[in-house]
Amino acid sequence: QVQLAESGGGLVQAGGSLRLSCAASGRTFTSFTVGWFRQAPGKEREVLAAIRWIGSITAQYQYYADSVKGRFTISRDNAKNTVFLQMNSLKPEDTAVYYCAGGENARVRVTYQESYDYWGQGTQVTVSS
């Protein structure tokens, strides 16, 4: 059974940075898509970024939502079986619970959250003005 665990959330001032981590257990990320999502109070959960391994360990595809493009960066550490979300130039409207999710490449459509099979428990990010 695949398990995902987020960490790295917290309180930061506007303009600051945070790096979230998504550690996987139960399988490696080969042929696996990992996405980052967030849900703010009173709002629907939205996809932020996704990373997909294609064929070899060095080939990958990345997706970013327009709302975070240029500020957030998704990356991976194969040795640690971990995916990161580096968040820079944070704004108060980035305040939300952040989740990572994963699934097999053949099943996942990166912007379609219902296609992800595995979810972490979420980590709170609060950006103060």
Side-chain angles (χ1 to χ4, degrees):
Q1 179 70 14
V2 176
Q3 292 186 328
L4 303 176
E6 305 95 337
S7 61
L11 174 64
V12 64
Q13 289 187 333
S17 299
L18 282 175
R19 188 176 79 157
L20 305 183
S21 299
C22 175
S25 60
R27 65 157 292 157
T28 65
F29 284 144
T30 304
S31 299
F32 206 67
T33 299
V34 175
W36 281 99
F37 299 77
R38 70 184 177 192
Q39 186 166 22
K43 296 187 177 181
E44 293 185 355
R45 188 165 56 190
E46 61 173 333
V47 61
L48 303 176
I51 189 166
R52 167 172 288 175
W53 280 253
I54 304 173
S56 73
I57 199 167
T58 60
Q60 63 184 24
Y61 161 81
Q62 295 180 358
Y63 163 85
Y64 293 96
D66 289 341
S67 59
V68 302
K69 199 173 294 183
R71 297 191 300 127
F72 291 9
T73 302
I74 192 169
S75 63
R76 74 190 193 280
D77 184 326
N78 293 329
K80 296 181 179 179
N81 219 31
T82 300
V83 172
F84 303 100
L85 186 68
Q86 177 67 42
M87 307 187 295
N88 299 328
S89 302
L90 285 164
K91 308 173 183 179
E93 51 264 43
D94 293 318
T95 295
V97 178
Y98 284 67
Y99 300 89
C100 67
E104 299 291 339
N105 285 348
R107 287 178 47 81
V108 172
R109 292 162 55 190
V110 294
T111 60
Y112 188 59
Q113 55 185 293
E114 288 80 2
S115 66
Y116 290 80
D117 291 321
Y118 310 103
W119 289 82
Q121 80 286 354
T123 186
Q124 176 70 44
V125 171
T126 302
V127 184
S128 63
S129 57

